[in-house]
Amino acid sequence: MSTGEYIKPTESELEILQILWEKGECTVRDVHEILEKSKDAGYTTTLKLMQIMHEKGLVSRDTSAKTHIYKASVNQEKTQQQLVNKMIDNVFNGSAARLVMQALGNHSASKDEIDSIKKYLDELEKK
């Protein structure tokens, strides 16, 4: 995957990427066991998804041992930023404010989250 190219991960691929971003390196078995806790996922389905993700350049694979080790090839922050930008453009007609208001209206933010948002907004105003 070249630097200018962006491949949008599917919902299932994002679930796997979240695991790899959190854990670092994992086998297919490791990923499958985590996925199984929250959804009915077959091992072969997880394996096939991770093979497709490797072909797409979303993950890299170390094949030097019998058990292949996978890790994310895409940056978490950059991927999140690209997905949010696309959502702002496509769903909120380019309005980041509408996205934020919708998110805060539909999700209970903790006191710490609200304080963090206020601090971020204060910093933006100072610029």
Side-chain angles (χ1 to χ4, degrees), residues 5-121:
E5 186 180 351
Y6 171 65
I7 299 170
K8 181 185 173 216
T10 65
E11 189 174 324
S12 295
E13 291 169 344
L14 271 174
E15 289 175 329
I16 291 170
L17 283 171
Q18 289 286 1
I19 293 166
L20 294 174
W21 285 328
E22 182 183 331
K23 303 288 184 188
E25 298 180 343
C26 291
T27 65
V28 174
R29 173 80 48 212
D30 297 334
V31 171
H32 174 68
E33 287 174 359
I34 294 168
L35 285 175
E36 250 186 343
K37 293 176 185 174
S38 61
K39 64 190 267 183
D40 187 23
Y43 176 83
T44 54
T45 302
T46 304
L47 172 63
K48 186 63 178 169
L49 262 172
M50 292 179 74
Q51 290 170 336
I52 291 168
M53 291 172 71
H54 180 259
E55 291 170 13
K56 290 168 85 174
L58 294 170
V59 299
S60 60
R61 177 174 62 198
D62 179 355
T63 59
S64 61
K66 182 182 176 194
T67 305
H68 297 178
I69 306 292
Y70 288 81
K71 69 178 180 178
S73 295
V74 291
N75 178 278
Q76 182 177 11
E77 287 182 23
K78 186 175 180 183
T79 301
Q80 289 171 340
Q81 183 179 31
Q82 289 167 330
L83 288 170
V84 167
N85 287 342
K86 189 171 181 74
M87 183 188 304
I88 289 169
D89 290 342
N90 295 340
V91 179
F92 296 96
N93 204 26
S95 173
R98 287 176 55 195
L99 167 71
V100 170
M101 289 186 283
Q102 183 73 28
L104 291 175
N106 290 335
H107 175 75
S108 298
S110 70
K111 170 119 174 61
D112 287 344
E113 288 175 318
I114 291 171
D115 289 343
S116 183
I117 292 166
K118 286 178 181 176
K119 181 180 175 189
Y120 182 72
L121 290 174

